[in-house]
Amino acid sequence: MALTETHDYDDIIDLPHHQSRHHAHMALSGRAAQFMPFAALTGYEDVLNRTVRANEEAIAKANTPVDLADGYTSA
């Protein structure tokens, strides 16, 4: 597809930039904050760490040798 010159927007290309009369201009820091990573999963790392810790404790308990003298019997 070849590029062809069009004049579709000649009527608006040189118009001044719109400035709202109702909303204040947003500061650059506010505009930049819109593009910061979304933190929907705040606390997710804490949940993962608690789960890992609980699983490691359960594995350690399951791997602890059993003393048959303590009344352990197999089912």
Side-chain angles (χ1 to χ4, degrees), residues 2 22 39 44 46 67-68 72:
H22 304 288
Y44 183 66
D46 294 334
D67 187 357
L68 295 177
Y72 173 80

Side-chain angles (χ1 to χ4, degrees), residues 36-67:
M36 291 180 68
F38 183 60
L41 299 177
T42 300
Y44 183 66
E45 290 291 326
D46 294 334
V47 171
L48 285 180
N49 290 334
R50 283 194 303 258
T51 303
V52 167
R53 196 173 323 116
N55 287 337
E56 287 174 346
E57 290 172 1
I59 290 169
K61 184 176 180 181
N63 289 334
T64 302
V66 176
D67 187 357

